Amino acid sequence: MTTPTGNRKTLVASIVVATMVLASAAYFGLEILRSAAAKESRSDIGSVKQTTNRIVAVVDGAEIAEAELLPFLNAGLDKAIAVDRAINKVIAANSADKLYRQAAKTAMQSARNEVLASVFINQRSLEVRNGVTDKDIKVFYDTRVKDEDFTTFKLKFFVSVDAKEAQDVFDGVGRGDKEAMAKLTWVRKDGEHYMTAAEVPYGLGVAVKKLKTGQRLQPVTVREGALVLYVDDIKTNPKPELAKVEGEIKDLLVAERFNEDMKARRAAAKIELRS
């Protein structure tokens, strides 16, 4: 059975629609926030960044700007070597366009879509984020962050490929049978074993929230077989103060609004699926 690792206690992990901005990135198969470049290893890289539009070479009419040197410079290459590598790159690109026109065209279209989609995600996410107000965050906190979302459960489980064996353990636990109880193991292995409903594997948190201490969930089929969940203890926790979760709430609002924006754009788009 897949169990959570680490003592994660994300403050708003249990809030109704926990779709972080990363979910928007997954929508495109792209990273929303492209990391700047790798660690800078040369002192003159800063000046390059200040003049990224300056042309450093021209190859068969194709210009090479300083911006194209950054990947090489950030890899630790000398600037002269970086220019040389950039020239080779352009020569290879021009050759591909001449010798392998169709393959080059396909690759260019794919690269264009990825680059422009990344630009849209970055810019639109920033615009959406700037549009989230303190009032929006307060309303979200008051209406959607509930004390019950922070209740934690200490759970044990048993799983078997034999449905009858799982049912026998379920029945035995109900009777308080020591042998059946001994077959249960902690869902969360670390710490005090507590987890929120949102962290319960296989999306069973909703069902677990309906149980009381000492109760168990009827055997349910999962990847590994028939699963029995037992509630060893429940700890009621108050929701955190607004100041402690406003950053996460803002992320959630950005994700929701960005996704709504994308849904509207998709609905307005003319899409033709072809075999």
Side-chain angles (χ1 to χ4, degrees), residues 30 34 104-120:
L30 298 170
R34 304 283 183 183
K105 183 178 179 181
T106 302
M108 284 292 290
Q109 181 62 42
S110 176
R112 175 185 181 277
N113 290 341
E114 180 171 349
V115 170
L116 293 182
S118 181
V119 169
F120 172 78

Side-chain angles (χ1 to χ4, degrees), residues 48 65 96 122 129 134 153 162 172 184 245:
V48 173
N122 287 322
R129 179 172 294 278
D134 291 341
F153 303 84
D162 185 345
L184 300 175
V245 294

Side-chain angles (χ1 to χ4, degrees), residues 27-65:
Y27 192 93
F28 291 95
L30 298 170
E31 296 177 10
I32 278 190
L33 301 177
R34 304 283 183 183
S35 57
K39 183 179 180 180
E40 298 173 349
S41 55
R42 290 181 53 81
S43 60
D44 61 347
I45 292 179
S47 61
V48 173
K49 291 183 178 179
Q50 297 300 318
T51 56
T52 54
N53 290 325
R54 193 172 73 84
I55 304 303
V56 296
V58 180
V59 181
D60 293 331
E63 297 180 338
I64 300 176

Side-chain angles (χ1 to χ4, degrees), residues 1-2 4 8-16 18 146-155 187-188 193-211 217 229 231 233-237:
M1 176 180 178
T2 303
R8 295 184 302 106
K9 291 188 177 180
T10 304
L11 294 173
V12 289
S14 303
I15 298 176
V16 189
K146 309 292 185 181
D147 286 334
E148 64 187 53
D149 294 325
F150 299 90
T151 295
T152 52
F153 303 84
K154 199 174 184 180
L155 304 174
V187 173
R188 165 160 278 165
H193 312 298
Y194 287 96
M195 63 177 57
T196 64
E199 296 173 310
V200 178
Y202 304 113
L204 295 174
V206 175
V208 167
K209 288 170 70 173
K210 298 178 181 179
L211 301 178
L217 193 64
L229 273 180
V231 181
D233 189 32
I234 298 175
K235 184 185 294 184
T236 301
N237 304 298

Side-chain angles (χ1 to χ4, degrees), residues 15 17 23-24 47 54 70 87 94 118 167 179 193 249 256:
I15 298 176
V17 187
S24 303
S47 61
R54 193 172 73 84
L70 290 178
I87 289 173
N94 288 345
S118 181
Q167 186 64 49
E179 184 177 344
H193 312 298
I249 290 176
E256 289 182 353

